[in-house]
């Protein structure tokens, strides 16, 4: 018996990257911007989208792709507000992959849209790994989580084009150290913009929306 | 648990690459994957995933070796280049946070080690 080494050098995200490229092509052709919203379960991703809708009642140029492990609850919440929304159920998988997003995307009325927001499955690790052809990953972190999340999950905060700090109206009731949190974000991604928002009062949501539409 | 998703891709790639080898070997002994530390892969989990996902395939009983790559950056201000104190993306020379990633996001199948019988 003799052994032989076979060189391969094959990208292990190859299949996902192909689908992500297809998505980029469609987005470019239809002049639509796509945002990939990533944060823990319960950090306020859906509430932020609800607030965006109610703050801008005339704006109907965006759609949402709602990623969840189970149930259509989040899609129903947004649908009740008149937002075009498709639910992507992963049935256990902890992130969305490009192939799944592609099929949902082509079912949207793209010619009437300027923006698609993908609300990824609540998780700070896996969704950061998967390119879904988006223009920007946006990391969502709430003040009820630890200040040090950015250094615990560096890939997400490093990849993010913006960080949204949610539930800031709760700060007076918490021991959350905002300066320490902002410093941790800076240590992982020195140039990323941070938007401090409250989906309850609407504080900060305008500037986030302006930033998204400027992409 | 992104190790399982990533490992699904590894096993698919391994089988596809193995089947391309001409002339066909007797068996697959070892696979080597290169993983940047930014992926936060737990090696034990990836290895268990490999064992589970290769069951009943030509890769069953082959070994996986993981080569980790450190996170290295270049500073956009002073052009310092080197390994950072991960997870802190801070230039070790001038302290700037405006630095670009050079290494640490790799994720690829590097090579396969296969066995031939002597007459082959």
């Amino acid at each position: 018996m003799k052994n032989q080494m076979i060189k391969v050098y094959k990208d292990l995200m190859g299949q996902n990257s192909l689908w992500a490229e297809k998505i980029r092509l469609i987005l470019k052709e239809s002049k639509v911007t796509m945002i990939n919203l990533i944060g823990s379960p319960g950090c306020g991703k859906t509430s932020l989208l609800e607030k965006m809708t109610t703050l801008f009642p005339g704006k109907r140029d965006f759609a949402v792709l709602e990623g969840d492990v189970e149930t259509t609850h989040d899609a129903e919440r947004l649908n009740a507000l008149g937002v075009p929304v498709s639910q992507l159920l992963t049935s256990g998988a902890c992130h969305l992959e490009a192939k799944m997003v592609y099929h949902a995307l082509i079912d949207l009325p793209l010619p009437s849209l300027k923006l698609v927001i993908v609300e990824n499955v609540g998780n700070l690790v896996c969704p950061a790994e998967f390119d879904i052809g988006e223009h920007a990953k946006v990391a969502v972190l709430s003040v009820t989580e630890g200040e040090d999340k950015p250094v615990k999950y560096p890939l997400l905060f490093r990849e993010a084009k913006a960080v949204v700090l949610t539930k800031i109206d709760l700060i007076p009731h918490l021991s959350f150290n905002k300066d320490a949190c902002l410093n941790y974000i800076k240590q992982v991604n020195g140039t990323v913009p941070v938007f401090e928002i409250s989906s309850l009062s609407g504080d900060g949501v305008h500037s986030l929306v302006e930033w998204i539409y400027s992409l | 648990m992104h190790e399982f998703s990533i490992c699904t891709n590894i096993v698919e790639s391994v089988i596809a690459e193995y089947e391309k080898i001409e002339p066909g070997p007797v068996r697959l002994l070892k696979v080597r994957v290169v993983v940047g530390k930014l992926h936060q892969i737990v090696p034990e989990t990836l290895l268990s995933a490999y064992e589970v996902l290769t069951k009943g395939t030509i890769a069953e009983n082959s070994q996986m070796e993981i080569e980790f790559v450190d996170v290295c950056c270049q500073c956009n201000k002073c052009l310092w280049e080197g390994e950072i104190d991960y997870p802190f993306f801070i230039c070790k020379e001038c302290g700037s946070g405006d630095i670009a990633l050079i290494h640490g996001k790799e994720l690829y199948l590097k090579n396969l080690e296969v066995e031939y019988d002597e007459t082959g």
Side-chain angles (χ1 to χ4, degrees):
Chain A
M1 292 291 190
K2 58 177 181 179
N3 299 348
Q4 196 179 330
M5 182 92 79
I6 313 286
K7 288 182 184 167
V8 180
Y9 296 102
K10 186 175 181 183
D11 175 17
L12 288 169
M13 288 293 191
Q15 202 57 28
N16 190 69
S17 307
L18 289 178
W19 287 103
E21 279 311 315
K22 283 187 181 193
I23 290 175
R24 270 188 270 277
L25 199 66
I26 289 178
L27 293 173
K28 198 177 171 194
E29 279 170 0
S30 37
K31 297 192 175 86
V32 169
T33 302
M34 193 168 93
I35 299 291
N36 184 1
L37 215 53
I38 304 173
S40 314
C43 71
K45 298 182 292 297
T46 315
S47 298
L48 168 62
L49 296 175
E50 282 178 317
K51 197 64 185 177
M52 270 179 70
T53 313
T54 49
L55 275 185
F56 301 93
K59 243 188 188 353
R60 282 295 176 268
D61 58 0
F62 77 94
V64 173
L65 296 180
E66 188 63 54
D68 275 300
V69 174
E70 286 296 352
T71 83
T72 55
H73 294 173
D74 286 359
E76 285 160 22
R77 278 167 65 181
L78 294 163
N79 191 43
L81 298 169
V83 182
V85 54
S86 295
Q87 179 79 53
L88 302 177
L89 286 182
T90 64
S91 306
C94 50
H95 59 272
L96 294 173
E97 293 191 17
K99 185 179 179 181
M100 203 173 186
V101 174
Y102 172 85
H103 290 292
L105 190 68
I106 54 172
D107 273 346
L108 288 174
L110 289 174
S112 62
L113 299 176
K114 278 191 183 146
L115 175 67
V116 172
I117 300 179
V118 180
E119 185 186 331
N120 218 311
V121 180
N123 183 338
L124 296 175
V125 181
C126 313
E129 294 281 346
F130 291 84
D131 175 14
I132 55 166
E134 73 278 309
H135 290 85
K137 285 188 174 74
V138 172
V140 185
L141 171 65
S142 68
V143 299
T144 52
E145 301 169 58
E147 296 91 350
D148 57 352
K149 283 279 168 78
V151 285
K152 281 186 174 166
Y153 303 93
L155 180 62
L156 170 62
F157 288 87
R158 182 70 200 168
E159 294 272 299
K161 295 277 197 310
V163 176
V164 183
L165 191 61
T166 59
K167 309 186 189 180
I168 54 161
D169 49 295
L170 288 177
I171 289 180
H173 312 288
L174 304 168
S175 58
F176 182 79
N177 184 337
K178 194 179 82 179
D179 289 340
C181 181
L182 294 176
N183 202 35
Y184 280 128
I185 294 170
K186 213 173 170 187
Q187 285 175 334
V188 175
N189 194 337
T191 54
V192 74
V194 180
F195 296 92
E196 298 175 23
I197 67 145
S198 161
S199 297
L200 198 65
S201 66
D203 283 352
V205 178
H206 269 97
S207 35
L208 172 64
V209 170
E210 262 174 39
W211 177 84
I212 290 174
Y213 276 91
S214 72
L215 287 171
Chain B
M1 286 301 288
H2 59 317
E3 284 86 356
F4 255 84
S5 297
I6 288 169
C7 200
T8 308
N9 293 335
I10 295 177
V11 175
E12 280 172 9
S13 297
V14 164
I15 294 171
E17 294 302 319
Y18 181 82
E19 284 172 349
K20 277 190 218 163
I21 302 170
E22 287 283 348
V26 179
R27 66 186 182 113
L28 178 67
L29 298 170
K30 203 179 269 183
V31 308
R32 233 168 247 105
V33 294
V34 177
V35 179
K37 285 190 178 166
L38 256 180
H39 290 289
Q40 290 190 299
I41 298 266
V42 181
E44 294 78 10
T45 313
L46 193 66
L47 292 171
S48 323
Y50 187 76
E51 202 185 320
V52 171
L53 294 168
T54 51
K55 283 255 153 63
T57 74
I58 53 92
E60 187 169 358
N61 297 324
S62 65
Q63 266 188 312
M64 178 165 60
E65 267 185 25
I66 310 167
E67 272 181 37
F68 281 101
V69 181
D70 291 326
V71 182
C72 293
C73 291
Q74 186 183 47
C75 177
N76 289 328
K77 292 264 159 65
C78 74
L79 302 179
W80 169 84
E81 211 179 288
E83 189 186 341
I84 56 163
D85 284 330
Y86 178 75
F88 302 105
F89 286 75
I90 308 281
C91 171
K92 279 191 173 173
E93 192 67 33
C94 74
S96 168
D98 183 9
I99 60 175
L101 189 72
I102 307 173
H103 292 297
K105 252 190 91 177
E106 292 80 355
L107 189 59
Y108 62 90
L109 177 62
K110 188 178 178 185
N111 57 47
L112 306 179
E113 205 175 306
V114 297
E115 188 177 277
Y116 281 103
D117 76 40
E118 291 288 6
T119 55

